């Protein structure tokens, strides 16, 4: 029987890269996405599911589809909302709502996955996509950074609680990634400014460039695989060294 996976936010960018990587030769992936256009490419062994990943009913439907297609083996919580807010200019309610918008899909996904693995009495793995911003905040991204830090805490707590049940939970923390959103951001800038931004982003990563979606997907696939059978509770940076870079003031 084929192995099956669920990937939230699976229509574009990192999510699509993960879906394509997990397919392999015979696996099935349920891709959850809010935007119907982002799933137009799906088909065959990619099962599209339109809906909000923070809705329990959608998560349950995704699990049903995955289990009907194969043995549910892995769940990737990738869905995210990119909208900034600041406590000096936005209400506390607005900030809390934006934190929840990024945290809730991971909580709902983890809850659903854990219950399905337990009920089926099969081992399983969960990977939560966080960000370098969870540990090193970027000005103007308070809700996103806060939610991603919470997801890393959730990852560790679940790993400890459900490891004895054969469920592994890890996180991948990307740096800057060349997604469609990244390309659209650069395209909206004046060419001279875009070039400067690209150079500055490259300098933030010791490897000298931003990541491809495939590089992030490869790390996720590893953590879901049997090769990582003794790895749990880990936050794996896939950031080209961005999280360990300290600029030398004397070099300036």
């Amino acid at each position: 029987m084929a192995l099956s996976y669920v990937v939230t936010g699976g229509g574009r960018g990192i999510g699509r890269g993960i879906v394509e990587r997990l397919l392999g030769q015979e696996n099935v992936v349920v891709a959850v996405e809010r935007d119907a256009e982002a799933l137009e490419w799906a088909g065959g062994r990619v099962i599209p599911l339109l809906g909000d990943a923070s809705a329990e009913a959608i998560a349950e439907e995704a699990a049903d589809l995955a289990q009907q297609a194969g043995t549910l083996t892995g769940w990737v919580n990738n869905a995210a909302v990119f909208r900034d807010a600041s406590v000096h200019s936005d209400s506390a309610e607005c900030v809390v709502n934006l934190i929840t918008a990024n945290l809730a899909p991971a909580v709902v996904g983890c809850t659903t996955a854990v219950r399905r693995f337990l009920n089926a009495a099969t081992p399983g793995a969960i990977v939560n996509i966080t960000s370098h911003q969870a540990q090193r905040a970027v000005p103007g991204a308070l809700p996103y950074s806060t939610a991603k830090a919470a997801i890393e805490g959730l990852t560790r707590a679940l790993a400890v609680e459900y490891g004895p049940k054969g469920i592994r939970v890890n996180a991948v923390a990307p740096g800057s990634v060349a997604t469609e959103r990244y390309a659209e951001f650069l395209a909206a800038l004046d060419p001279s400014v875009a070039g400067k931004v690209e150079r500055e982003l490259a300098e933030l990563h010791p490897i000298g460039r931003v990541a491809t979606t495939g590089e992030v997907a490869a790390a996720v696939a590893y953590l879901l695989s049997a090769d990582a059978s003794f790895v749990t509770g880990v936050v794996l940076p896939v950031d080209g060294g961005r999280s360990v870079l300290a600029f030398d003031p004397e070099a300036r």
Side-chain angles (χ1 to χ4, degrees):
M1 193 173 190
L3 301 180
S4 64
Y5 300 85
V6 173
V7 178
T8 68
R12 293 191 176 99
I14 292 172
R16 178 169 176 172
I18 294 168
V19 170
E20 292 174 339
R21 178 72 182 226
L22 292 177
L23 283 175
Q25 296 298 316
E26 59 181 18
N27 299 336
V28 176
V29 183
V30 177
V32 182
E33 181 63 63
R34 295 178 67 173
D35 182 1
E37 290 185 2
L39 290 173
E40 288 179 350
W41 61 273
R45 290 182 289 117
V46 178
I47 302 173
L49 176 59
L50 188 63
D52 186 341
S54 67
E56 291 185 69
I58 292 298
E60 293 291 344
E61 185 177 353
D64 287 342
L65 290 169
Q67 289 185 313
Q68 289 163 12
T71 301
L72 179 59
T73 300
W75 192 293
V76 182
N77 292 305
N78 170 70
V81 175
F82 300 98
R83 183 184 157 198
D84 296 339
S86 299
V87 296
H88 72 276
S89 57
D90 297 282
S91 68
E93 181 181 14
C94 173
V95 173
V96 169
N97 287 342
L98 285 173
I99 293 170
T100 301
N102 277 296
L103 178 58
V107 174
V108 170
C110 286
T111 299
T112 306
V114 165
R115 291 177 179 177
R116 292 300 179 113
F117 293 145
L118 292 176
N119 289 340
T122 58
I126 298 169
V127 174
N128 296 316
I129 306 300
T130 63
S131 169
H132 64 96
Q133 294 185 39
Q135 299 297 322
R136 291 163 183 79
V138 174
L142 184 151
Y144 185 78
S145 296
T146 303
K148 292 301 188 181
I151 292 170
E152 292 188 357
L154 173 70
T155 298
R156 290 185 284 269
L158 291 172
V160 169
E161 188 157 358
Y162 294 103
K165 301 293 186 181
I167 300 171
R168 296 184 301 105
V169 188
N170 293 290
V172 166
S176 298
V177 184
T179 62
E180 295 94 334
R181 183 169 171 268
Y182 173 82
E184 289 168 2
F185 167 70
L186 292 177
L189 302 174
D190 179 90
S192 62
V193 175
K196 182 174 182 290
V197 169
E198 282 192 281
R199 289 190 296 274
E200 290 177 346
L201 284 171
E203 289 175 0
L204 289 173
H205 303 78
I207 284 183
R209 60 175 176 81
V210 301
T212 67
T213 58
E215 288 170 324
V216 180
V220 173
Y222 162 70
L223 290 173
L224 291 175
S225 75
D227 288 338
S229 57
F230 205 61
V231 180
T232 195
V234 163
V235 176
L236 175 61
V238 182
D239 62 4
R242 179 170 182 169
S243 59
V244 296
L245 174 63
F247 283 113
D248 180 0
E250 294 182 2
R252 294 174 178 268

